[in-house]
Amino acid sequence: MGKTIYILNGPNLNLLGKREPDIYGHETLADVERVCATVAGENGHAVRLFQSNHEGEIIDSIQRARDEAAAIVINPAAFTHTSVAILDALNTFEGPVIEVHISNIHKREAFRHHSYVSLRADGVIAGCGVEGYALAVRRICSLLG
Ligand code: DQA
């Protein structure tokens, strides 16, 4: 039976493709949705992508995932490094969680090296560009079986 995987994206990722393309590349969030849907579909699952610039809306979507999703792929963007509230929300979710960063946060400024979300994530992918989302969905599919 096909399951739903939530693909959650934090602030400024609506500008993906236009925003600092030297760091984040030229692909857009629509491209992210397409690659994730392809990988999930190959495994009999479906994705729902959500992006918000607002911390509370991301928390609301994680709470919705408790009822509607079997797994979460999340790029919390800058909230990665600041949000105990997103960590707490993820801790209420029982399925697998994979954290994705388009850039390699460990190669960048020191303030990007710490992730609150990694305290909950079952896996972390960083520095693989938009392909990182596809890798994350692939991993989720093997965890979901
Ligand atoms: C990011 C890395 C974060 O440090 C940054 O604030 C982002 C995007 C990434 O995908 O590489 O907005 O999560």
Side-chain angles (χ1 to χ4, degrees):
M1 175 69 179
K3 295 181 175 156
T4 300
I5 303 163
Y6 267 25
I7 315 290
L8 304 181
N9 292 278
N12 301 304
L13 289 170
N14 53 314
L15 296 179
L16 197 59
K18 297 182 191 139
R19 166 199 189 203
E20 299 181 273
D22 47 316
I23 298 174
Y24 299 113
H26 292 280
E27 286 159 297
T28 66
L29 214 51
D31 296 321
V32 169
E33 188 162 26
R34 197 161 34 244
V35 294
C36 289
T38 300
V39 175
E42 284 164 3
N43 289 277
H45 300 303
V47 298
R48 269 182 58 191
L49 185 137
F50 179 78
Q51 187 277 331
S52 178
N53 294 325
H54 305 280
E55 189 174 14
E57 287 187 358
I58 294 167
I59 293 162
D60 289 344
S61 68
I62 294 167
Q63 291 189 7
R64 273 199 307 278
R66 285 161 48 82
D67 296 322
E68 295 176 6
I72 295 175
V73 171
I74 183 165
N75 182 349
F79 292 146
T80 307
H81 319 297
T82 61
S83 182
V84 175
I86 289 177
L87 169 64
D88 284 351
L90 288 169
N91 278 333
T92 75
F93 182 77
E94 289 181 359
V97 174
I98 306 284
E99 176 182 351
V100 171
H101 299 285
I102 297 163
S103 65
N104 182 357
I105 53 175
H106 302 290
K107 214 176 164 185
R108 300 181 64 190
E109 303 97 320
F111 66 83
R112 296 186 203 274
H113 296 177
H114 178 261
S115 165
Y116 284 102
V117 170
S118 291
L119 289 166
R120 166 62 181 88
D122 299 297
V124 182
I125 297 168
C128 295
V130 158
E131 205 182 331
Y133 288 88
L135 297 171
V137 172
R138 202 173 301 282
R139 174 64 181 156
I140 292 283
C141 289
S142 29
L143 291 173
L144 291 178

